[in-house]
Amino acid sequence: VAKGGAIDAAMALLRDAGITSALMHGGTSTIAGMGAPPDADAWTIRLGEGIDAPRVRLRNRSVSFSSARPGGVEHVMDPRKGVPASSGALAGACVGRSALQTDAWSTALLVRGERPAGMPSDCTSLLHTSGGWSIEGPDRGRIELGTQEVCL
């Protein structure tokens, strides 16, 4: 969560300096897009690998992605049990206005394996299970899988 907060703080410094277009990531799991790159209307981010991996186009939005390690010991802990998360989810992602917020909620999605009841209504959740991707939230109608791109 600290990584998301640091990204938010760094983006605020850029805005205060008059920067209107920037893409910042913290180790690829949390990404914030301000404005858009030259000759484009948004920053295109692909979440994960495979033909069905969602692509989001960020414009003044953030996305965070948490995933399980295939075939290995899980690196995300379930705080309720004090053991590695075992929800069966392969990945969780959250799109919202704050990198701090999306960083926390993407991990909660992975741990719980479902959208938490307390997730803010302005956040969109993406959950990847063996059955594919499920998308819930205000941007649901604008997120496509595979080669489709969406603007958030």
Side-chain angles (χ1 to χ4, degrees):
V1 176
K3 178 176 25 179
I7 290 171
D8 284 343
M11 291 297 262
L13 288 172
L14 292 177
R15 275 191 299 280
D16 290 348
I19 304 297
T20 59
S21 177
L23 182 71
M24 187 171 297
H25 72 83
T28 69
S29 64
T30 299
I31 303 167
M34 177 194 319
D39 303 321
D41 63 352
W43 300 94
T44 301
I45 308 298
R46 185 174 183 150
L47 302 178
E49 299 177 11
I51 195 163
D52 71 335
R55 288 187 192 185
V56 297
R57 294 177 60 208
L58 300 176
R59 183 176 44 227
N60 302 320
R61 303 280 279 170
S62 297
V63 63
S64 295
F65 183 80
S66 295
S67 65
R69 292 186 180 162
V73 173
E74 183 54 57
H75 65 289
V76 176
M77 299 298 286
D78 184 334
R80 299 168 298 182
K81 302 174 186 171
V83 299
S86 60
S87 70
L90 303 172
C94 181
V95 179
R97 298 211 180 274
S98 158
L100 174 70
Q101 183 181 55
T102 62
D103 196 4
W105 287 110
S106 68
T107 304
L109 283 163
L110 182 64
V111 169
R112 292 184 57 88
E114 63 185 5
R115 183 181 173 100
M119 182 177 261
S121 61
D122 64 340
C123 287
T124 298
S125 61
L126 297 91
L127 189 64
H128 189 212
T129 65
S130 59
W133 285 93
S134 64
I135 304 166
E136 295 181 49
D139 297 309
R140 182 175 185 230
R142 296 186 292 173
I143 294 178
E144 300 285 337
L145 303 177
T147 59
Q148 299 294 319
E149 295 180 353
V150 297
C151 188
L152 302 174

